[in-house]
Amino acid sequence: MWVVYIVECADRSLYTGITNDLQQRMAAHQAGKGAKYTKPRRPLILRYTETWDSKSAALRREAAIKSFDRATKLMLIAACDAQATDSVPRSKASH
């Protein structure tokens, strides 16, 4: 399984990448051993993930996301956040 991810850097920029081990990749980024882009922009916050069955599909999706402008990437993140919130069970308030 391959993961396409977006992290938000300390300077609020967004970095998109792929990996087949998200935990290891995030640890490398946080240690300054990930991408050259993220090294001086730590700490990082994982904002978005998508899973893909093949590396080629993940690479195509990564390229597509990288072509998005910042506003579109933020909309993608917001949509994912909204879906996560919608799937959380809510308790019913009693009156």
Side-chain angles (χ1 to χ4, degrees):
M1 174 174 59
W2 288 86
V3 179
V4 178
Y5 63 93
I6 300 174
V7 294
E8 183 176 355
C9 302
D11 65 1
R12 304 200 63 217
S13 63
L14 300 172
Y15 173 83
T16 305
I18 72 162
T19 184
N20 61 356
D21 187 336
L22 186 58
Q23 186 175 1
Q24 181 181 351
R25 185 65 174 157
M26 288 304 298
H29 279 306
Q30 296 292 12
K33 297 179 184 192
K36 191 185 298 186
Y37 181 85
T38 59
K39 185 175 181 176
R41 292 173 169 85
R42 295 172 290 154
L44 308 171
I45 301 168
L46 182 62
R47 297 292 309 272
Y48 180 81
T49 61
E50 287 182 7
T51 57
W52 293 88
D53 290 332
S54 70
K55 183 177 182 179
S56 61
L59 284 168
R60 284 191 300 276
R61 181 61 173 161
E62 177 194 30
I65 292 172
K66 284 183 173 185
S67 74
F68 296 167
D69 61 17
R70 178 179 175 80
T72 305
K73 290 177 188 178
L74 291 173
M75 286 180 8
L76 183 65
I77 291 166
C80 180
D81 289 347
Q83 269 188 329
T85 302
D86 288 345
S87 67
V88 173
R90 295 185 180 106
S91 59
K92 294 182 181 178
S94 51
H95 298 324

